[in-house]
Amino acid sequence: MTPTGTTTDAGRRAPAVAALVLLALGALVLLAAAVTALLPGTALFGTEVSKRLVVVDGPRLVLLGIVVTAAAWWLRRSRLLARALTTTVAVVATVATLVLTGAVGAVVTATLAAGGSVDPWRALTLAGPPDGSAPDARAVYSTTPQGQDLHLAITRPRDTARPAPVFVWVHGGGWATGSELDRAADLRRLADAGFLAVSVEYTLAAPGRPTWDVAGPQVACALARVAEHAAEQGGDPRRIVLGGDSAGGQLATSVGYRAASGSQPSACPSPVPVPVPRAIATLYPAVDLDDTYRAGQGAQEFAVGYTGGTPDQVPERYRAVEGIDALTRAAPPTLAVVPARDHLVPPGGATRFVEAARAAGVDAEQVDIPFADHAFDTGPDGSLGHQAASTVLAQWVREQAVR
């Protein structure tokens, strides 16, 4: 006959064992995430997931860590299992959670320090964009010699009682992909905040068709068209801020700086000259294309497609698309939001560019986002990375527009 106490202990121990197994699995996931956060080259979750681990999944991993840690320490107190096992699980979960909390906290701190904001609930739930994010109009601003219509995606401000500042966006995509519709939700938010928001389409590079001397003049043409017709859409042509991400950041910077130096050609005739932007706001801009080609992981195909050759083969083309070649004291104030772990467009190029701009007397600012890789903001709309980039950019743009 089995003693009653033994049967009772066995009945209680079985659920405890199952709980410990689940907690151990959770602790292992947290440990792998913590190692990946500290050593991104390990890529324990695969390359793409590892890149977004902190800026997308980080807040939810921290929440998971809190739950696993609390449960593991509670289970340790129950004395139903070997204390060494429960202690090990509890300690691993605690340390991993602290590491992940530190990484997420670093991103939040950098965001707040740069004037941005973070909504914890959106970061946890990854809430999608608001309804009605599509632009209000998509107008043709020019037609290429090959017959391609180029469009402006226009999102109008809600308050049209007085002329609104204008924000013009140039999309990224390695000069070969992307669309003027890519950031419709972000532009809608800017419009709701009082801007006339406009996104620019330009000719994309294709095999055998580099666009290093085409895309920039098209963006300049779009700027002139925006200035010419801004008042009709509720905008103030005297307060244009130009922005872009990655390849679009290169185009925005190059065109804006050359407009300021009087050396930017336009792809179309216009009664309005190419305006000098009041400011230039960029995300991970490819402003040093030579460095991007030589040091960027996977950037060579984009750089060659855009310029038609390597830096050694066509050095003059690389210089022609880098804003630093047109750097003068008259260049507009410039913001570069730079992910600290950018593998595609290494952050060193942007840092050197900002330093050169400052040395020339330009009001240039760099905001570094820790634990972030290239395109860290293009995940879910409410993700930590998206909030960091969009709110920092929006706050800086608002400040520049009212100066």
Side-chain angles (χ1 to χ4, degrees), residues 106-126:
V107 176
V108 172
T109 299
T111 301
L112 299 180
S117 61
V118 174
D119 181 336
W121 180 249
R122 289 184 65 218
L124 284 170
T125 61
L126 303 180

Side-chain angles (χ1 to χ4, degrees), residues 298-351:
Q300 293 72 26
E301 179 182 354
F302 293 117
V304 170
Y306 182 44
T307 62
T310 69
D312 294 328
Q313 292 169 333
V314 288
E316 72 287 351
R317 296 183 181 181
Y318 280 75
R319 287 194 299 271
V321 299
E322 293 174 350
I324 199 167
D325 199 46
L327 184 58
T328 67
R329 191 179 184 85
T334 304
L335 170 71
V337 178
V338 179
R341 291 178 171 176
D342 198 328
H343 76 287
L344 185 66
V345 180
T351 299

Side-chain angles (χ1 to χ4, degrees), residues 13-23:
R13 189 174 290 114
V17 171
L20 180 62
V21 170
L22 290 175
L23 293 175

Side-chain angles (χ1 to χ4, degrees), residues 6-22 75 80-81:
T6 303
T7 302
T8 302
D9 287 346
R12 294 172 58 194
R13 189 174 290 114
V17 171
L20 180 62
V21 170
L22 290 175
L75 187 62
L80 291 170
L81 300 170

Side-chain angles (χ1 to χ4, degrees), residues 363-402:
D363 180 9
E365 179 180 352
Q366 178 173 328
V367 173
D368 295 312
I369 304 297
F371 298 97
D373 205 329
H374 196 77
F376 68 96
D377 61 316
T378 59
D381 186 81
S383 70
L384 178 60
H386 179 263
Q387 290 191 58
S390 61
T391 61
V392 167
L393 199 75
Q395 179 59 29
W396 190 85
V397 166
R398 279 193 291 268
E399 292 173 355
Q400 298 299 319
V402 299

